[in-house]
Amino acid sequence: MTGISIAVRTALAAALVFGPAQGAWAQSDAFKSFKQLDSTAKMPKLNAFSAPLGEQSGSLAKDVALEAKLTAADDEAVEEGLTWRVFSPISGEDGKLPLVASSEGGDASFQLAPGDYFVNVAFGRAGVTKKLTIPADGAVEKQVLVLDAGGVVLDATAGSDEPIPDKQLSFSVYSSEVREDGERGLVIAGVKPKTIVRLNAGTYHVVSEYGDVNAVVRADIQVEAGKLIEATLQHRAAQVTLKLVSQPGGEAIADTAWSVLTAAGDIVNESVSAFSTMVLAEGDYLAVARNKDKIYQRAFNVKAAENMDVEVMMKDQPANMDLFSGAELRDGGAISSSDVLE
C-alpha cells in the first residue's frame, strides 16, 4: 500500500514471531511493557457505587468478581491497566445508561443487587461489553471477559532508514472502514512514536505526519489479539531551511517573508523569519522571499532523507523557471512568479 515500506512489513513480521529460539516475547509476556503507559499505583477495587435504578429496598447484594484476558486461550488475566464500568440497562432522563460502579487496575470485585447490568472493561483503546444478570438466589460465578486485544508500536523513517526526531512525528489511527461520507472513524490522534497503543484485534488505517506541512504517509496495519507488533513507515521527505543572502554562504537577511509553492502553484507554507525551516515531501518547489519592497525566488528539488539549506540570492535568479511559469503568489493581489523585482 502507498506509504508503507518494506521496513514496515519486516518490522511487523519480526514482531509476530514468538518463542525462546527467536528471543522474542512469549505471548503471555507481550503486554508487560504496557505498565509504562499507566505507572500510577493500583486504584482501590471500588471507586464508585450508586444503587441501580429500580433496586428494591432490602435487596441482598451479591459479590461479583470480574477479570479480563487478552485472548480466550490466555491462562493469566490482565493484571493492570484496566478500567471497569458497570451500567444499569435502564436509560436515565438524559438518555444515557447510569453508571452504577467503576474500578481501575486489574481484576475487580463489586457488590451488586439482583437485576440486569452491562459490564464494560477497557484496556487502552480496546474494550468489550457484556450483559450480566445477577440472580436473586445463589452465588454469582466469576465473570471472565475476553478483550480480543493486541497492541502496536509506531515509528517512521525518512527514506529507507534515516531516523526522524520524535518531536517531528505524529500518528493518528483510524478504523479501516470508510463511511458513506468518505471519511474514516478516528480511533486515536496525536500518538507519539515508540508508544504502545492498545487496540481490539483488527485492521486499522494509520496516518503518519512528519513536520506540519505536507509530509504525510498512510498504511493499513493488522493488529492481532495477544500480540504486540512494531510498524515503521517510510516518509519520502526531508527537512529544508530557506535563507535570503546577498552572496553564497552569506548571512541570512532578517525580516524576510517566505512562501513555498509546489510545481502546480499551490502555496504549502508561509512564514516570516531570517531562516525558514520546514519538512517537505519529495518533489519540486519554488521558494519566494519578500524583503522590504523586493521579491526574490528560486526553484529547488527535495529528495527523501536529504536535508538541505536553500539559499535565495538577492541578485541572481534560477536558470530554469519554466517549471513554475504558471505559478501565482497572492499577497493583496496576484503577482506572476516570473515578475521579479530587481
Side-chain angles (χ1 to χ4, degrees):
M1 179 177 179
T2 303
I4 188 168
S5 67
I6 295 177
V8 177
R9 294 193 288 273
T10 301
L12 287 171
L16 293 178
V17 177
F18 294 87
Q22 291 77 18
W25 298 293
Q27 181 167 337
S28 61
D29 295 333
F31 283 81
K32 282 187 176 179
S33 56
F34 279 169
K35 65 183 66 176
Q36 61 185 303
L37 294 185
D38 186 7
S39 59
T40 57
K42 265 194 172 183
M43 300 295 291
K45 291 296 181 183
L46 184 62
N47 290 341
F49 180 84
S50 60
L53 297 181
E55 179 182 345
Q56 295 181 355
S57 177
S59 295
L60 183 62
K62 301 294 183 71
D63 291 326
V64 182
L66 301 140
E67 68 176 28
K69 296 182 179 181
L70 292 177
T71 71
D74 284 348
D75 294 328
E76 298 181 1
V78 179
E79 296 181 354
E80 58 183 74
L82 299 175
T83 299
W84 294 91
R85 296 182 179 90
V86 180
F87 297 91
S88 167
I90 303 174
S91 300
E93 295 181 356
D94 58 359
K96 300 179 180 179
L97 299 182
L99 178 66
V100 175
S102 66
S103 176
E104 294 185 9
D107 55 358
S109 180
F110 300 109
Q111 286 192 327
L112 301 174
D116 294 329
Y117 302 88
F118 287 115
V119 178
N120 173 268
V121 59
F123 187 52
R125 296 288 167 167
V128 64
T129 300
K130 175 182 180 180
K131 184 177 180 180
L132 174 64
T133 298
I134 307 298
D137 299 317
V140 181
E141 64 180 16
K142 178 185 290 186
Q143 302 296 306
V144 179
L145 279 68
V146 178
L147 288 158
D148 192 30
V152 60
V153 178
L154 301 169
D155 204 354
T157 62
S160 59
D161 57 6
E162 185 68 25
I164 298 174
D166 289 354
K167 65 181 180 180
Q168 292 183 297
L169 276 176
S170 180
F171 300 89
S172 295
V173 180
Y174 296 84
S175 63
S176 60
E177 297 81 13
V178 179
R179 301 189 302 241
E180 293 183 0
D181 60 3
E183 300 294 329
R184 300 175 188 267
L186 178 64
V187 177
I188 181 172
V191 178
K192 292 301 179 183
K194 305 177 183 66
T195 300
I196 296 173
V197 183
R198 308 160 180 168
L199 298 166
N200 286 110
T203 302
Y204 296 87
H205 188 74
V206 176
V207 178
S208 174
E209 296 181 72
Y210 175 20
D212 55 6
V213 180
N214 65 348
V216 178
V217 294
R218 301 168 179 268
D220 286 339
I221 303 296
Q222 183 70 33
V223 175
E224 297 190 38
K227 297 183 180 181
L228 178 65
I229 62 173
E230 296 177 327
T232 302
L233 284 69
Q234 289 184 356
H235 280 275
R236 304 297 299 177
Q239 183 170 286
V240 177
T241 299
L242 307 176
K243 56 183 180 179
L244 178 66
V245 296
S246 58
Q247 60 183 10
E251 184 176 350
I253 307 301
D255 299 324
T256 300
W258 293 96
S259 294
V260 178
L261 292 78
T262 65
D266 299 320
I267 296 177
V268 295
N269 191 59
E270 293 182 306
S271 62
V272 178
S273 63
F275 297 92
S276 181
T277 300
M278 70 207 73
V279 176
L280 295 173
E282 199 172 53
D284 296 312
Y285 297 89
L286 176 68
V288 179
R290 302 176 181 85
N291 187 265
K292 297 181 180 179
D293 59 346
K294 294 181 182 278
I295 298 179
Y296 309 92
Q297 57 191 9
R298 176 182 172 182
F300 65 98
N301 176 265
V302 175
K303 295 182 180 179
E306 295 185 11
N307 299 340
M308 63 178 179
D309 293 340
V310 176
E311 293 184 340
V312 179
M313 304 299 295
M314 297 187 73
K315 294 182 179 180
D316 299 333
Q317 297 303 315
N320 180 19
M321 293 300 297
D322 294 339
L323 179 64
F324 300 98
S325 59
E328 289 187 347
L329 304 179
R330 292 174 174 82
D331 185 12
I335 304 175
S336 171
S337 63
S338 60
D339 296 335
V340 179
L341 301 179
E342 299 181 356

